[in-house]
Amino acid sequence: MAKVSAVVKSQAQIQSLVALLYLPGSLSSVRLSRAVSNCLPGASRISSSLRLIFKALFFLVLILNVRAIPGGWHWRLFWPVTKIRLQYLIARMHSLWALSGTRGKARRQGMEMRMEKWLESITPVGAHPFEFETRYKSWVTLDESDFNMHMSNSSYPKVLDCARMKAAMELFPQFLRVGGIIPLASTHFHFIRELPVFAKYELRLSIGAWDEKWFYVVGRFVTKNKVPKGKHSSKSAPHAATEGTTPAITTLFHAPITDNSDTTSDTNTPFPATETATNGLPSAAAADQARKFDAAVASRLESDLSGVEDGYTLHTVCVSRVCFKLGRITVPPAVLMATNGVSVHPWELSNQEVVAANSSAQRYSPSNPPPTWTSESQALFSKSKGGSPRKLRDFYKGEWRSVAAAADANTHPWWDRTVGVGGIVDGKRKERLDVCRNLVGGLDGVREIC
C-alpha cells in the first residue's frame, strides 16, 4: 500500500505541474519554480548550478570576443583621438591652474602661448620621412581567427585601420586640427606567415613614398621570437634564401631580384618572363623560374626586417595608398609633411654626398627644428608669429599654389626642399615610388580585363 500511495502522490504532482503549464494567465516564474521544486526535490540545486555555469560561459565568450561587440572597432579606431583630447584637457587645466593669478588679456595670451607649446610638443618636428615609424601593439583574439585558429585574412584590414589612425595623429596633428581628412584609396597585403590565435604582435607603419597626390604607407606585422630558457638571443644573419636563389638587395623597395640560375636578366621587370610550351601551358623551365621568383620575393620580404631589429619574425607586409583632403581640395603630401615639422637631415638639404657620421650638422629635433619650421610653418598657425588656424586652413586650401607659382622656376618650393625633393634622397623616393606605382598599376590592369 505504501508503494501504491507514493506512486499516486507522484502522479498527482505531475498532473498538477501539467495543469499549471496550461494556465499561462495565472502562472508566474516564481510559482513555476516552486512547482518544479515540489515535483523534483533536487531541481533547485541543479538550476542554480546551471545558471552559474551559463553565466561563466557567457562572460568567458564575451571576454574572448570583446572586440566584436557593437562599437568595439569604433572605440579602438578613435582611441588615439580620444587620448589626444584627454591630454589637451589635462594640459588646459594645468595652464588654468598656473595662470590662476592673472586676469584679462594677460591670462588669455598666456593660455594661447601654453597651448601652442603643447601642440608643438605632439607635432613630429625634425622627424625624417624615411625614418619615421609608429608601432601599434595588439594580440589575436578569438573573433579575429578563422577555423584554423589563425588570424583571418579579413581581420588584417581592421587592425590596419586602427594603426593608420594612430599614425595620422602622430604625423599630421596640424592638418587634422583644421578639419583635414585622409581618404583611403587602396590597400595591398602580402601574407608570409600565419599569426596564431592569442599571439601578441606589432604592426609597424612607415612612410613608403609620395608624389604630388598619393601617399604610400608600408606596414609590417611582426612578432617577437621566443628565446628558449637558458639561451640568450644573439645577432643572427638574415634569413637565408631558398636554395637556388640569392636576393640581390634586402629591402622591400629595391628591385630587381636575381637568382643563381644560368639565365639572368638585367631588367627591373617585376615579374619574370614565362616560356610557353606548344600545348599552350607553361613549360617546366617557366614553372621553375616562377617558383624561384616567388621564393626570392619571400626571402627578400623576410630579410627586410633583419636590418631593423633582430629577434623578430615578419608575418605580413601591407601597403596603403591614401590622399589628403580639406573639403574638396587635395593637399600635396609634401605640404602636409613640411607644415607638420617633417624634414630630411641638414646634410641632405645641401644636395651634397656626405655621411652623417662625418657631418658636423646635428639632426633636426624639437630643440633643433628645421629652418622652414620657424620661418614658414610657424608663421601659418602660431599666433605669436602672426598665424592662426584659419590661415593654415587657407594655405591648405590653395594658397600653396600661389606660393609655388611665385617661386623661382629653377628651385623647388620650400615644402619640397624640406622633405628632400631635388636633394640626395630624392632618388630613394623615386625608386620607392616606382615600386608602389607598379603595385597599384597591376591591379588597375586587372580591372580593365575583367
Side-chain angles (χ1 to χ4, degrees):
M1 292 295 293
K3 293 182 178 180
V4 175
S5 61
V7 172
V8 172
K9 184 178 179 181
S10 62
Q11 290 178 351
Q13 290 175 343
I14 293 174
Q15 290 177 356
S16 62
L17 177 61
V18 172
L20 286 173
L21 292 174
Y22 281 96
L23 294 175
S26 61
L27 182 63
S28 64
S29 60
V30 177
R31 293 175 60 188
L32 178 60
S33 61
R34 289 178 180 176
V36 173
S37 300
N38 293 332
C39 297
L40 301 174
S44 59
R45 293 192 298 271
I46 297 175
S47 178
S48 61
S49 300
L50 288 177
R51 284 199 297 268
L52 181 61
I53 293 174
F54 286 143
K55 286 182 180 179
L57 290 176
F58 173 77
F59 284 108
L60 179 62
V61 172
L62 182 63
I63 292 173
L64 294 177
N65 298 272
V66 64
R67 295 181 180 177
I69 62 176
W73 176 82
H74 296 85
W75 169 255
R76 287 193 294 157
L77 180 69
F78 291 105
W79 167 243
V81 182
T82 306
K83 183 179 178 181
I84 292 295
R85 290 186 177 276
L86 291 176
Q87 292 176 354
Y88 172 81
L89 292 177
I90 293 174
R92 189 173 181 84
M93 291 176 61
H94 286 172
S95 300
L96 290 173
W97 178 262
L99 298 173
S100 57
T102 59
R103 293 290 183 274
K105 185 177 180 180
R107 181 186 179 90
R108 185 174 64 254
Q109 291 178 348
M111 280 291 299
E112 291 177 355
M113 292 292 296
R114 284 177 171 270
M115 298 315 297
E116 281 186 4
K117 290 183 178 179
W118 173 83
L119 182 61
E120 290 185 15
S121 67
I122 65 171
T123 304
V125 179
H128 195 280
F130 293 145
E131 296 177 5
F132 173 83
E133 182 183 70
T134 183
R135 300 186 178 187
Y136 183 83
K137 297 183 179 181
S138 186
W139 59 287
V140 183
T141 55
L142 195 62
D143 64 282
E144 293 177 339
S145 305
D146 55 18
F147 52 85
N148 291 319
M149 293 293 102
H150 299 150
M151 187 169 176
S152 174
N153 293 352
S154 61
S155 300
Y156 286 87
K158 294 195 303 181
V159 180
L160 184 58
D161 288 340
C162 301
R164 275 198 307 264
M165 177 65 77
K166 182 175 183 291
M169 296 300 298
E170 294 178 357
L171 197 57
F172 305 116
Q174 300 289 347
F175 176 65
L176 299 177
R177 172 196 181 193
V178 296
I181 60 174
I182 308 177
L184 176 66
S186 59
T187 307
H188 312 270
F189 289 90
H190 182 90
F191 301 103
I192 302 171
R193 289 187 180 91
E194 70 279 359
L195 278 169
V197 65
F198 304 130
K200 295 181 180 180
Y201 63 89
E202 286 183 355
L203 175 51
R204 302 178 179 182
L205 296 184
S206 58
I207 300 174
W210 67 90
D211 55 16
E212 293 78 12
K213 177 181 180 180
W214 298 110
F215 188 77
Y216 297 90
V217 183
V218 178
R220 295 176 177 87
F221 289 80
V222 300
T223 57
K224 190 173 183 179
N225 297 336
K226 294 182 179 179
V227 180
K229 294 183 179 180
K231 295 184 179 181
H232 300 282
S233 59
S234 59
K235 293 287 182 178
S236 59
H239 295 281
T242 305
E243 183 178 359
T245 62
T246 303
I249 307 273
T250 58
T251 172
L252 177 63
F253 294 98
H254 222 81
I257 300 176
T258 60
D259 53 45
N260 293 336
S261 58
D262 295 335
T263 58
T264 58
S265 176
D266 294 330
T267 62
N268 290 349
T269 305
F271 297 101
T274 58
E275 300 177 5
T276 306
T278 55
N279 56 2
L281 298 176
S283 63
D288 183 67
Q289 184 182 7
R291 179 187 61 80
K292 290 182 178 181
F293 180 83
D294 292 339
V297 170
S299 177
R300 180 177 66 180
L301 292 173
E302 292 175 11
S303 61
D304 181 60
L305 190 65
S306 61
V308 178
E309 188 173 356
D310 187 37
Y312 283 81
T313 301
L314 180 63
H315 293 264
T316 300
V317 175
C318 55
V319 179
S320 302
R321 183 176 65 155
V322 300
C323 62
F324 305 96
K325 293 281 189 178
L326 192 60
R328 297 181 62 87
I329 305 299
T330 300
V331 186
V335 174
L336 263 294
M337 288 189 287
T339 53
N340 283 271
V342 179
S343 174
V344 296
H345 296 310
W347 53 88
E348 294 171 339
L349 290 173
S350 60
N351 200 17
Q352 296 178 357
E353 293 283 350
V354 294
V355 182
N358 299 329
S359 176
S360 60
Q362 296 181 355
R363 293 173 179 264
Y364 290 134
S365 64
S367 59
N368 181 35
T372 54
W373 173 255
T374 54
S375 62
E376 304 290 347
S377 300
Q378 286 186 331
L380 293 173
F381 63 83
S382 178
K383 291 185 178 180
S384 60
K385 296 189 176 182
S388 65
R390 182 174 181 176
K391 188 175 181 179
L392 179 62
R393 188 183 302 110
D394 293 339
F395 183 78
Y396 285 149
K397 281 190 172 182
E399 286 188 2
W400 60 269
R401 292 191 179 94
S402 59
V403 175
D408 188 358
N410 297 325
T411 60
H412 296 278
W414 64 268
W415 52 83
D416 282 339
R417 297 195 306 270
T418 302
V419 295
V421 176
I424 61 177
V425 299
D426 200 24
K428 184 177 182 180
R429 180 190 68 88
K430 292 179 179 179
E431 183 181 7
R432 292 184 170 199
L433 184 61
D434 289 340
V435 175
C436 294
R437 283 176 172 173
N438 289 336
L439 181 65
V440 176
L443 288 183
D444 288 341
V446 172
R447 183 177 63 179
E448 292 177 359
I449 66 176
C450 293

